[in-house]
Each structure stands twice: as structure tokens, then as C-alpha cells.
């Protein structure tokens, strides 16, 4: 008997999320939050969803910053209105872009 097993990745746009400085663009930009879920399927039916990963993407240059799952969840539930999360994520973006510039 033949089993058709598949793995798939699904990207979901959560919302245009926050504005912060993008070093690549050199300007203040809007960043969107994407949720990436890996799915396992059997006979084209989803049988398992893996824990999702969260990415922040610059709307203009498409630079992608991976968030920790905890931060991703916090952003989904509370949004960047929470100043503490906003600052944390902004720090992460700066860190990501600084490391990339050096390499
Ligand atoms: Zn950008």
C-alpha cells in the first residue's frame, strides 16, 4: 500500500504591525508579522501542525527578522501598542541588521 506523506509550509500574514527604523532602507518603515507553520499531511489531509515560527518583514525591502516564539506570540496578542514589546522587537531588528551588515 502506498502512503502519500507530505510536508508543507504555510505563511500567514498577521497584520501590518509596527513602524521602526530599517537600516537597509535607511528610513522609518512599516513591518509586517508573518506566521510560518509547517504542516505534515497524509493523503493531502493535514494531520499535524508544528509549533509556528514568527517573522517580521520590512514592507519595502523585504528584510526578514526571525522572532522568538515567545515574542511572536506576544506581538500577536498584544501588538506593538505595548511599548516594552515594541522596544524589544526594535532592538532585535537593529541587532539582526547590524550583524548582516558586517558579514
Ligand atoms: Zn527595509
Amino acid at each position: 500500500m502506498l502512503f502519500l506523506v507530505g510536508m508543507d509550509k504555510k505563511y500567514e500574514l498577521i497584520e501590518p504591525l509596527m513602524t521602526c527604523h530599517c537600516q537597509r532602507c535607511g528610513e522609518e518603515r512599516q513591518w509586517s508579522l508573518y506566521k510560518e507553520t509547517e504542516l505534515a499531511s497524509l493523503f493531502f489531509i493535514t494531520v499535524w501542525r508544528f509549533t509556528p515560527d514568527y517573522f517580521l518583514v520590512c514592507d519595502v525591502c523585504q528584510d526578514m527578522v526571525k522572532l522568538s516564539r515567545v515574542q511572536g506570540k506576544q506581538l500577536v496578542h498584544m501588538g506593538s501598542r505595548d511599548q516594552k514589546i515594541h522596544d524589544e522587537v526594535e532592538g532585535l531588528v537593529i541587532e539582526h541588521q547590524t550583524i548582516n551588515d558586517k558579514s
Side-chain angles (χ1 to χ4, degrees):
M1 178 151 183
L2 178 71
F3 283 97
L4 277 173
V5 182
M7 292 294 291
D8 217 350
K9 271 186 185 177
K10 202 174 94 185
Y11 290 92
E12 259 174 90
L13 174 64
I14 308 288
E15 57 179 316
L17 195 71
M18 54 179 274
T19 39
C20 76
H21 188 78
C22 175
Q23 291 185 45
R24 265 217 216 166
C25 296
E27 273 179 54
E28 202 72 10
R29 290 295 188 215
Q30 190 165 66
W31 294 72
S32 299
L33 181 67
Y34 283 87
K35 183 169 135 183
E36 180 202 79
T37 316
E38 212 164 341
L39 307 167
S41 64
L42 192 61
F43 296 106
F44 307 107
I45 296 162
T46 302
V47 289
W48 187 258
R49 281 168 194 273
F50 293 90
T51 317
D53 282 320
Y54 297 92
F55 294 92
L56 210 58
V57 181
C58 172
D59 275 0
V60 180
C61 71
Q62 309 290 306
D63 198 17
M64 207 178 197
V65 183
K66 190 177 175 179
L67 303 176
S68 73
R69 281 176 181 147
V70 176
Q71 284 170 327
K73 270 189 199 154
Q74 279 179 333
L75 269 177
V76 170
H77 293 302
M78 291 154 91
S80 60
R81 283 158 303 183
D82 189 305
Q83 193 60 40
K84 187 177 160 278
I85 298 175
H86 181 280
D87 290 349
E88 231 177 82
V89 173
E90 190 169 33
L92 211 73
V93 169
I94 292 167
E95 195 182 300
H96 163 86
Q97 293 190 321
T98 309
I99 291 166
N100 275 18
D101 278 353
K102 277 177 193 159
S103 59

